[in-house]
Amino acid sequence: ASGDRIVSRLTFRVAKAPTGIGSVYERIGGNDINYTNTQSIPKDALLYGIVRGQKPKGFLYDYDINITSFQITVGNLTNTRTVTGNSAQNNANALKDIRAAQSGTNVKIKVLTATKKDGNFSSPTEVDPFSFIIE
């Protein structure tokens, strides 16, 4: 009847966000390009692009993943370089390694520190390691 109060109880399960997917992002001529795991990548994208995380496809909840440190290994002969921030530009040795690499060289990136940002709320999150072949 009109004016009756209905009470129901629902159980919600709050799950940890899934591990992010790593990518290198660049903007060229107004186009956004995300290079993801196992794709070939232009050397310039590695030199000047932004390492970032993306939520998995099909995951509806909206948030951003900001990367604050990562490791990069170019080929099999160079040392692994630790980069503070989200761009190889922040480590002179990483830049030198990328510039010296030949076409076909494998590049591995492992994210060390990432933050999931949802509005004003930030929390630590993880991003899977990823790799590329230099074009």
mmCIF file of all heavy atoms in Angstrom, residues 43 46 71-83 91-102 105-109 132 134:
data_model
loop_
_atom_site.group_PDB
_atom_site.id
_atom_site.type_symbol
_atom_site.label_atom_id
_atom_site.label_comp_id
_atom_site.label_asym_id
_atom_site.label_seq_id
_atom_site.Cartn_x
_atom_site.Cartn_y
_atom_site.Cartn_z
ATOM 1 N N LYS A 43 61.475 3.460 -31.598
ATOM 2 C CA LYS A 43 62.461 3.886 -30.608
ATOM 3 C C LYS A 43 62.065 5.218 -29.964
ATOM 4 O O LYS A 43 62.198 5.397 -28.752
ATOM 5 C CB LYS A 43 63.843 3.984 -31.267
ATOM 6 C CG LYS A 43 64.976 3.948 -30.277
ATOM 7 C CD LYS A 43 66.320 4.045 -30.961
ATOM 8 C CE LYS A 43 66.778 2.700 -31.479
ATOM 9 N NZ LYS A 43 68.206 2.730 -31.874
ATOM 10 N N LEU A 46 59.710 4.876 -27.045
ATOM 11 C CA LEU A 46 60.381 4.481 -25.802
ATOM 12 C C LEU A 46 61.146 5.646 -25.189
ATOM 13 O O LEU A 46 61.168 5.818 -23.975
ATOM 14 C CB LEU A 46 61.367 3.340 -26.065
ATOM 15 C CG LEU A 46 60.812 1.936 -26.056
ATOM 16 C CD1 LEU A 46 61.910 0.946 -26.428
ATOM 17 C CD2 LEU A 46 60.214 1.578 -24.713
ATOM 18 N N GLN A 71 61.425 -0.333 -13.845
ATOM 19 C CA GLN A 71 62.725 -0.819 -14.305
ATOM 20 C C GLN A 71 62.609 -1.123 -15.784
ATOM 21 O O GLN A 71 61.582 -1.628 -16.240
ATOM 22 C CB GLN A 71 63.141 -2.084 -13.559
ATOM 23 C CG GLN A 71 63.507 -1.826 -12.121
ATOM 24 C CD GLN A 71 63.934 -3.100 -11.405
ATOM 25 O OE1 GLN A 71 63.475 -4.196 -11.713
ATOM 26 N NE2 GLN A 71 64.820 -2.944 -10.441
ATOM 27 N N ILE A 72 63.690 -0.825 -16.532
ATOM 28 C CA ILE A 72 63.718 -1.113 -17.959
ATOM 29 C C ILE A 72 65.006 -1.848 -18.287
ATOM 30 O O ILE A 72 66.082 -1.487 -17.797
ATOM 31 C CB ILE A 72 63.559 0.178 -18.803
ATOM 32 C CG1 ILE A 72 63.483 -0.150 -20.296
ATOM 33 C CG2 ILE A 72 64.641 1.199 -18.484
ATOM 34 C CD1 ILE A 72 63.030 1.019 -21.170
ATOM 35 N N THR A 73 64.869 -2.912 -19.059
ATOM 36 C CA THR A 73 66.012 -3.687 -19.536
ATOM 37 C C THR A 73 65.947 -3.701 -21.055
ATOM 38 O O THR A 73 64.958 -4.154 -21.634
ATOM 39 C CB THR A 73 65.980 -5.128 -18.998
ATOM 40 O OG1 THR A 73 65.838 -5.093 -17.575
ATOM 41 C CG2 THR A 73 67.257 -5.880 -19.358
ATOM 42 N N VAL A 74 66.995 -3.185 -21.683
ATOM 43 C CA VAL A 74 67.049 -3.117 -23.141
ATOM 44 C C VAL A 74 68.003 -4.196 -23.630
ATOM 45 O O VAL A 74 69.195 -4.148 -23.344
ATOM 46 C CB VAL A 74 67.520 -1.722 -23.618
ATOM 47 C CG1 VAL A 74 67.580 -1.673 -25.137
ATOM 48 C CG2 VAL A 74 66.597 -0.632 -23.076
ATOM 49 N N GLY A 75 67.473 -5.192 -24.337
ATOM 50 C CA GLY A 75 68.302 -6.296 -24.813
ATOM 51 C C GLY A 75 68.760 -7.183 -23.671
ATOM 52 O O GLY A 75 68.258 -7.096 -22.546
ATOM 53 N N ASN A 76 69.737 -8.038 -23.962
ATOM 54 C CA ASN A 76 70.234 -8.973 -22.947
ATOM 55 C C ASN A 76 71.566 -8.550 -22.359
ATOM 56 O O ASN A 76 72.027 -9.131 -21.392
ATOM 57 C CB ASN A 76 70.383 -10.366 -23.564
ATOM 58 C CG ASN A 76 69.047 -10.916 -24.017
ATOM 59 O OD1 ASN A 76 68.034 -10.688 -23.368
ATOM 60 N ND2 ASN A 76 69.038 -11.617 -25.138
ATOM 61 N N LEU A 77 72.191 -7.545 -22.950
ATOM 62 C CA LEU A 77 73.553 -7.211 -22.536
ATOM 63 C C LEU A 77 73.641 -6.009 -21.613
ATOM 64 O O LEU A 77 74.669 -5.789 -20.990
ATOM 65 C CB LEU A 77 74.420 -6.959 -23.783
ATOM 66 C CG LEU A 77 74.461 -8.141 -24.754
ATOM 67 C CD1 LEU A 77 75.243 -7.767 -25.996
ATOM 68 C CD2 LEU A 77 75.081 -9.372 -24.094
ATOM 69 N N THR A 78 72.595 -5.213 -21.519
ATOM 70 C CA THR A 78 72.671 -4.016 -20.668
ATOM 71 C C THR A 78 72.154 -4.322 -19.268
ATOM 72 O O THR A 78 71.431 -5.290 -19.040
ATOM 73 C CB THR A 78 71.832 -2.859 -21.257
ATOM 74 O OG1 THR A 78 70.463 -3.269 -21.296
ATOM 75 C CG2 THR A 78 72.307 -2.477 -22.639
ATOM 76 N N ASN A 79 72.527 -3.459 -18.353
ATOM 77 C CA ASN A 79 72.016 -3.560 -16.984
ATOM 78 C C ASN A 79 70.550 -3.128 -16.962
ATOM 79 O O ASN A 79 70.123 -2.337 -17.795
ATOM 80 C CB ASN A 79 72.809 -2.648 -16.053
ATOM 81 C CG ASN A 79 74.229 -3.123 -15.880
ATOM 82 O OD1 ASN A 79 74.490 -4.318 -15.823
ATOM 83 N ND2 ASN A 79 75.160 -2.185 -15.793
ATOM 84 N N THR A 80 69.823 -3.625 -15.975
ATOM 85 C CA THR A 80 68.462 -3.141 -15.741
ATOM 86 C C THR A 80 68.576 -1.767 -15.096
ATOM 87 O O THR A 80 69.335 -1.578 -14.153
ATOM 88 C CB THR A 80 67.704 -4.119 -14.825
ATOM 89 O OG1 THR A 80 67.570 -5.366 -15.523
ATOM 90 C CG2 THR A 80 66.328 -3.592 -14.463
ATOM 91 N N ARG A 81 67.852 -0.813 -15.637
ATOM 92 C CA ARG A 81 67.888 0.569 -15.135
ATOM 93 C C ARG A 81 66.619 0.845 -14.342
ATOM 94 O O ARG A 81 65.521 0.495 -14.773
ATOM 95 C CB ARG A 81 67.977 1.567 -16.284
ATOM 96 C CG ARG A 81 69.045 1.268 -17.320
ATOM 97 C CD ARG A 81 70.434 1.361 -16.765
ATOM 98 N NE ARG A 81 71.404 1.186 -17.864
ATOM 99 C CZ ARG A 81 72.692 1.105 -17.678
ATOM 100 N NH1 ARG A 81 73.210 1.180 -16.470
ATOM 101 N NH2 ARG A 81 73.501 0.944 -18.712
ATOM 102 N N THR A 82 66.775 1.483 -13.197
ATOM 103 C CA THR A 82 65.623 1.905 -12.404
ATOM 104 C C THR A 82 65.335 3.366 -12.710
ATOM 105 O O THR A 82 66.234 4.204 -12.639
ATOM 106 C CB THR A 82 65.894 1.710 -10.898
ATOM 107 O OG1 THR A 82 66.122 0.317 -10.663
ATOM 108 C CG2 THR A 82 64.705 2.167 -10.061
ATOM 109 N N VAL A 83 64.098 3.636 -13.085
ATOM 110 C CA VAL A 83 63.683 4.974 -13.483
ATOM 111 C C VAL A 83 62.689 5.503 -12.465
ATOM 112 O O VAL A 83 61.710 4.834 -12.137
ATOM 113 C CB VAL A 83 63.034 4.953 -14.891
ATOM 114 C CG1 VAL A 83 62.566 6.335 -15.290
ATOM 115 C CG2 VAL A 83 64.000 4.374 -15.914
ATOM 116 N N ASN A 91 66.184 8.920 -16.746
ATOM 117 C CA ASN A 91 67.389 8.134 -16.468
ATOM 118 C C ASN A 91 68.300 8.167 -17.702
ATOM 119 O O ASN A 91 67.979 7.561 -18.727
ATOM 120 C CB ASN A 91 67.015 6.701 -16.091
ATOM 121 C CG ASN A 91 68.212 5.869 -15.689
ATOM 122 O OD1 ASN A 91 69.204 5.783 -16.413
ATOM 123 N ND2 ASN A 91 68.116 5.220 -14.539
ATOM 124 N N ALA A 92 69.428 8.867 -17.580
ATOM 125 C CA ALA A 92 70.351 9.043 -18.717
ATOM 126 C C ALA A 92 70.865 7.707 -19.247
ATOM 127 O O ALA A 92 71.018 7.532 -20.458
ATOM 128 C CB ALA A 92 71.519 9.939 -18.306
ATOM 129 N N ASN A 93 71.122 6.733 -18.361
ATOM 130 C CA ASN A 93 71.614 5.429 -18.819
ATOM 131 C C ASN A 93 70.543 4.661 -19.591
ATOM 132 O O ASN A 93 70.851 3.972 -20.567
ATOM 133 C CB ASN A 93 72.119 4.594 -17.646
ATOM 134 C CG ASN A 93 73.441 5.123 -17.123
ATOM 135 O OD1 ASN A 93 74.285 5.577 -17.887
ATOM 136 N ND2 ASN A 93 73.608 5.087 -15.813
ATOM 137 N N ALA A 94 69.285 4.775 -19.172
ATOM 138 C CA ALA A 94 68.193 4.128 -19.909
ATOM 139 C C ALA A 94 68.095 4.728 -21.313
ATOM 140 O O ALA A 94 67.943 3.997 -22.292
ATOM 141 C CB ALA A 94 66.871 4.280 -19.159
ATOM 142 N N LEU A 95 68.223 6.039 -21.419
ATOM 143 C CA LEU A 95 68.175 6.695 -22.729
ATOM 144 C C LEU A 95 69.319 6.217 -23.617
ATOM 145 O O LEU A 95 69.123 5.934 -24.798
ATOM 146 C CB LEU A 95 68.244 8.216 -22.572
ATOM 147 C CG LEU A 95 67.030 8.885 -21.930
ATOM 148 C CD1 LEU A 95 67.279 10.375 -21.763
ATOM 149 C CD2 LEU A 95 65.778 8.630 -22.736
ATOM 150 N N LYS A 96 70.501 6.109 -23.033
ATOM 151 C CA LYS A 96 71.676 5.647 -23.781
ATOM 152 C C LYS A 96 71.455 4.216 -24.289
ATOM 153 O O LYS A 96 71.764 3.894 -25.433
ATOM 154 C CB LYS A 96 72.918 5.709 -22.871
ATOM 155 C CG LYS A 96 74.216 5.559 -23.612
ATOM 156 C CD LYS A 96 75.482 5.652 -22.758
ATOM 157 C CE LYS A 96 75.313 6.203 -21.387
ATOM 158 N NZ LYS A 96 76.508 6.084 -20.550
ATOM 159 N N ASP A 97 70.899 3.354 -23.427
ATOM 160 C CA ASP A 97 70.617 1.962 -23.812
ATOM 161 C C ASP A 97 69.632 1.907 -24.984
ATOM 162 O O ASP A 97 69.818 1.147 -25.926
ATOM 163 C CB ASP A 97 70.037 1.172 -22.635
ATOM 164 C CG ASP A 97 71.019 0.982 -21.489
ATOM 165 O OD1 ASP A 97 72.230 1.221 -21.687
ATOM 166 O OD2 ASP A 97 70.560 0.600 -20.394
ATOM 167 N N ILE A 98 68.567 2.706 -24.905
ATOM 168 C CA ILE A 98 67.544 2.699 -25.960
ATOM 169 C C ILE A 98 68.141 3.209 -27.275
ATOM 170 O O ILE A 98 67.945 2.614 -28.329
ATOM 171 C CB ILE A 98 66.317 3.546 -25.549
ATOM 172 C CG1 ILE A 98 65.608 2.904 -24.343
ATOM 173 C CG2 ILE A 98 65.342 3.707 -26.722
ATOM 174 C CD1 ILE A 98 64.609 3.813 -23.651
ATOM 175 N N ARG A 99 68.891 4.295 -27.201
ATOM 176 C CA ARG A 99 69.478 4.871 -28.423
ATOM 177 C C ARG A 99 70.441 3.899 -29.099
ATOM 178 O O ARG A 99 70.542 3.861 -30.319
ATOM 179 C CB ARG A 99 70.195 6.173 -28.086
ATOM 180 C CG ARG A 99 69.233 7.319 -27.841
ATOM 181 C CD ARG A 99 69.935 8.667 -27.727
ATOM 182 N NE ARG A 99 68.957 9.710 -27.500
ATOM 183 C CZ ARG A 99 68.821 10.373 -26.346
ATOM 184 N NH1 ARG A 99 69.625 10.129 -25.339
ATOM 185 N NH2 ARG A 99 67.880 11.295 -26.229
ATOM 186 N N ALA A 100 71.158 3.104 -28.300
ATOM 187 C CA ALA A 100 72.151 2.175 -28.845
ATOM 188 C C ALA A 100 71.528 0.882 -29.382
ATOM 189 O O ALA A 100 72.173 0.143 -30.112
ATOM 190 C CB ALA A 100 73.185 1.834 -27.768
ATOM 191 N N ALA A 101 70.278 0.622 -29.021
ATOM 192 C CA ALA A 101 69.632 -0.649 -29.394
ATOM 193 C C ALA A 101 69.347 -0.712 -30.895
ATOM 194 O O ALA A 101 68.970 0.276 -31.517
ATOM 195 C CB ALA A 101 68.339 -0.824 -28.614
ATOM 196 N N GLN A 102 69.504 -1.899 -31.440
ATOM 197 C CA GLN A 102 69.215 -2.157 -32.852
ATOM 198 C C GLN A 102 67.743 -2.548 -33.016
ATOM 199 O O GLN A 102 67.096 -2.988 -32.064
ATOM 200 C CB GLN A 102 70.094 -3.314 -33.356
ATOM 201 C CG GLN A 102 71.580 -3.074 -33.235
ATOM 202 C CD GLN A 102 72.047 -1.922 -34.086
ATOM 203 O OE1 GLN A 102 71.674 -1.818 -35.252
ATOM 204 N NE2 GLN A 102 72.838 -1.027 -33.508
ATOM 205 N N THR A 105 65.516 -5.521 -31.083
ATOM 206 C CA THR A 105 65.930 -5.699 -29.691
ATOM 207 C C THR A 105 64.712 -5.779 -28.778
ATOM 208 O O THR A 105 63.771 -4.993 -28.904
ATOM 209 C CB THR A 105 66.840 -4.525 -29.235
ATOM 210 O OG1 THR A 105 67.978 -4.486 -30.077
ATOM 211 C CG2 THR A 105 67.271 -4.679 -27.790
ATOM 212 N N ASN A 106 64.737 -6.728 -27.848
ATOM 213 C CA ASN A 106 63.666 -6.884 -26.865
ATOM 214 C C ASN A 106 63.863 -5.876 -25.729
ATOM 215 O O ASN A 106 64.981 -5.678 -25.272
ATOM 216 C CB ASN A 106 63.677 -8.313 -26.315
ATOM 217 C CG ASN A 106 62.445 -8.625 -25.501
ATOM 218 O OD1 ASN A 106 62.083 -7.877 -24.609
ATOM 219 N ND2 ASN A 106 61.804 -9.733 -25.808
ATOM 220 N N VAL A 107 62.779 -5.268 -25.288
ATOM 221 C CA VAL A 107 62.791 -4.328 -24.167
ATOM 222 C C VAL A 107 61.783 -4.818 -23.140
ATOM 223 O O VAL A 107 60.625 -5.072 -23.476
ATOM 224 C CB VAL A 107 62.414 -2.901 -24.626
ATOM 225 C CG1 VAL A 107 62.354 -1.956 -23.447
ATOM 226 C CG2 VAL A 107 63.387 -2.411 -25.676
ATOM 227 N N LYS A 108 62.237 -4.954 -21.888
ATOM 228 C CA LYS A 108 61.347 -5.404 -20.811
ATOM 229 C C LYS A 108 61.141 -4.253 -19.830
ATOM 230 O O LYS A 108 62.100 -3.586 -19.450
ATOM 231 C CB LYS A 108 61.952 -6.586 -20.077
ATOM 232 C CG LYS A 108 62.113 -7.816 -20.941
ATOM 233 C CD LYS A 108 62.707 -8.963 -20.131
ATOM 234 C CE LYS A 108 63.123 -10.075 -21.051
ATOM 235 N NZ LYS A 108 64.542 -10.239 -21.174
ATOM 236 N N ILE A 109 59.899 -4.068 -19.413
ATOM 237 C CA ILE A 109 59.564 -3.043 -18.421
ATOM 238 C C ILE A 109 58.830 -3.708 -17.271
ATOM 239 O O ILE A 109 57.867 -4.449 -17.473
ATOM 240 C CB ILE A 109 58.711 -1.918 -19.033
ATOM 241 C CG1 ILE A 109 59.532 -1.186 -20.113
ATOM 242 C CG2 ILE A 109 58.234 -0.949 -17.947
ATOM 243 C CD1 ILE A 109 58.790 -0.104 -20.846
ATOM 244 N N PHE A 132 58.434 -5.284 -25.318
ATOM 245 C CA PHE A 132 58.290 -4.841 -26.701
ATOM 246 C C PHE A 132 59.479 -5.311 -27.522
ATOM 247 O O PHE A 132 60.520 -5.685 -26.981
ATOM 248 C CB PHE A 132 58.300 -3.305 -26.788
ATOM 249 C CG PHE A 132 57.245 -2.632 -25.989
ATOM 250 C CD1 PHE A 132 57.563 -2.044 -24.771
ATOM 251 C CD2 PHE A 132 55.947 -2.567 -26.444
ATOM 252 C CE1 PHE A 132 56.585 -1.403 -24.030
ATOM 253 C CE2 PHE A 132 54.969 -1.923 -25.701
ATOM 254 C CZ PHE A 132 55.293 -1.342 -24.494
ATOM 255 N N ILE A 134 61.842 -3.450 -30.435
ATOM 256 C CA ILE A 134 62.097 -2.160 -31.087
ATOM 257 C C ILE A 134 61.990 -2.330 -32.603
ATOM 258 O O ILE A 134 62.558 -3.257 -33.170
ATOM 259 C CB ILE A 134 63.483 -1.603 -30.692
ATOM 260 C CG1 ILE A 134 63.494 -1.254 -29.201
ATOM 261 C CG2 ILE A 134 63.847 -0.390 -31.543
ATOM 262 C CD1 ILE A 134 64.824 -0.744 -28.683
#
